[in-house]
Amino acid sequence: MDRNSVDWSGQVTAVVTPFNQDGSINEEGLRTQIDFLVEEGVNVVIANGCTGEFWAQSIEERKRVMKVAVEAAAGRIPVIGGASANYTPDVVELTRYAADIGCSGVMVMPPYLVRPNNDDIYHHYKMVSDAVDLPILLYNIPRDTVNDLTPELVNRLADLRTTVAIKDSSFDFNIFWRLQTSVSDRLRVLIGPSTMFGAPAVLMGADGWVDTYSNLWPQMTVGLWRASKAGDWDKARQLQRVGIEFRRFLSEGDRNMYSAVKAAMNIIGLPGGYPRLPLRPLEEPHLSNLRDGMIRFGVPGRRQNLASVAE
């Protein structure tokens, strides 16, 4: 397998997992959200990425979320299952399940908290690749995992049997560029924060991006992708500027990004639901601030005019 084995490109959304107030999975909300993303032109969804709060779910719950996502997508767009775990056999189990239910592939970050050496990380991925015939999206997010998939290590991982792509959330454009020049002949290179680097990354050849903000404003991020691919740089610059400002707004103060995205989704009529502990739902004054911001930015949700939400 290589980059040509999959059609992962454009706007890839790490979809939220809506939870009910009692902590149970809101399956209908997840189905509704995936319908919304498909309708708005999202190209691929990832179920149980970091945004999907995989770290607060049991293995069986993670399997259920993947299955609901595949059923909801119904073949309209690819679904990538989040299969990250510290214990390598857990990754193999989740990957095997993802293959059985029809996921297009799995996203796997390196082990987190512990500090394996590069050989350990390589063999973590190799065990998964050897065990299951399903494409793997590498996920580099060193500020959260404490383990960096360096360009040198990615170059080695690119030769594994089922590795086809990497999502780089290093927040360092230089790292993205090194990956683009060293492995893009074998792997699809997806940038992490589209709201920071989307248009410049496309200009430099990125296959697309994976982000969180498209859960609540796919019209903006899909528009940014389409304008960048079409070479409409005036529009792309305008949308990139909006994206940067919007990302900064959602992260203002001590707001956790995942809680803020869910709260903003709820405000505009999307099924964000509740986060799971240790994250708590946002309260005032954050909710009023978010509501005002949604109106100021003109985030439409599923409505023509957000002003009615504030009434």
Side-chain angles (χ1 to χ4, degrees):
M1 295 183 188
D2 63 13
R3 58 173 287 118
N4 299 310
S5 303
V6 295
D7 57 352
W8 306 340
S9 64
Q11 172 60 62
V12 182
T13 299
V15 66
V16 302
T17 304
F19 297 110
N20 296 309
Q21 192 167 10
D22 64 3
S24 60
I25 298 168
N26 180 354
E27 294 186 7
E28 191 55 39
L30 179 57
R31 294 177 194 275
T32 298
Q33 179 63 9
I34 289 177
D35 279 342
F36 168 64
L37 295 175
V38 172
E39 290 165 5
E40 295 299 337
V42 165
N43 302 99
V44 185
V45 293
I46 298 174
N48 278 336
C50 294
T51 302
E53 297 171 77
F54 79 88
W55 34 266
Q57 298 177 48
S58 69
I59 293 290
E60 292 308 311
E61 286 176 320
R62 293 176 65 181
K63 290 179 179 179
R64 182 60 188 165
V65 168
M66 282 195 283
K67 192 169 193 306
V68 171
V70 170
E71 290 172 352
R76 293 174 292 173
I77 59 173
V79 175
I80 300 171
S84 300
N86 264 7
Y87 184 48
T88 311
D90 286 344
V91 182
V92 172
E93 179 181 346
L94 287 164
T95 301
R96 215 171 253 134
Y97 183 80
D100 289 344
I101 64 171
C103 283
S104 177
V106 288
M107 183 173 73
V108 181
M109 63 172 57
Y112 38 93
L113 182 65
V114 295
R115 293 181 180 271
N117 62 34
N118 280 351
D119 267 352
D120 292 332
I121 294 173
Y122 173 81
H123 284 282
H124 176 76
Y125 283 102
K126 185 175 186 301
M127 181 177 287
V128 180
S129 181
D130 288 348
V132 189
D133 191 27
L134 190 68
I136 293 174
L137 166 65
L138 307 173
Y139 183 12
N140 186 39
I141 184 165
R143 69 176 189 174
D144 290 342
T145 64
V146 310
N147 295 309
D148 191 3
L149 296 183
T150 64
E152 293 77 17
L153 179 54
V154 173
N155 188 56
R156 188 179 174 195
L157 292 169
D159 288 332
L160 290 176
R161 188 177 62 93
T162 62
T163 307
V164 301
I166 180 167
K167 173 192 175 185
D168 179 57
S169 291
S170 64
F171 293 85
D172 185 335
F173 200 82
N174 293 312
I175 296 297
F176 157 75
W177 180 239
R178 288 181 63 192
L179 292 170
Q180 186 66 26
T181 55
S182 63
V183 300
S184 63
D185 59 328
R186 290 167 289 164
L187 303 183
R188 290 179 180 256
V189 180
L190 304 169
I191 197 75
S194 68
T195 48
M196 293 175 65
F197 300 133
V202 172
L203 181 62
M204 294 295 102
D207 290 278
W209 52 67
V210 183
D211 71 21
T212 296
Y213 305 100
S214 51
N215 276 287
L216 62 107
W217 201 0
Q219 300 89 346
M220 183 266 290
T221 58
V222 170
L224 176 60
W225 164 254
R226 291 175 177 172
S228 300
K229 284 297 287 183
D232 185 350
W233 296 114
D234 286 341
K235 184 174 182 180
R237 276 191 293 271
Q238 176 189 6
L239 290 172
Q240 190 72 73
R241 186 181 306 114
V242 171
I244 291 170
E245 293 172 356
F246 188 62
R247 183 177 188 276
R248 186 181 300 123
F249 160 70
L250 286 176
S251 302
E252 280 178 0
D254 61 349
R255 282 201 286 260
N256 173 275
M257 179 183 68
Y258 305 129
S259 296
V261 166
K262 283 191 162 185
M265 289 173 65
N266 293 335
I267 286 169
I268 60 176
L270 295 172
Y274 293 82
R276 270 192 175 175
L277 294 171
L279 302 181
R280 295 178 302 141
L282 294 189
E283 299 176 340
E284 296 294 354
H286 292 296
L287 293 178
S288 293
N289 179 259
L290 281 176
R291 187 175 291 107
D292 292 344
M294 296 298 102
I295 294 171
R296 185 171 73 253
F297 279 98
V299 183
R302 303 190 83 166
R303 307 172 186 223
Q304 287 290 327
N305 188 346
L306 181 60
S308 62
V309 178
E311 293 176 356

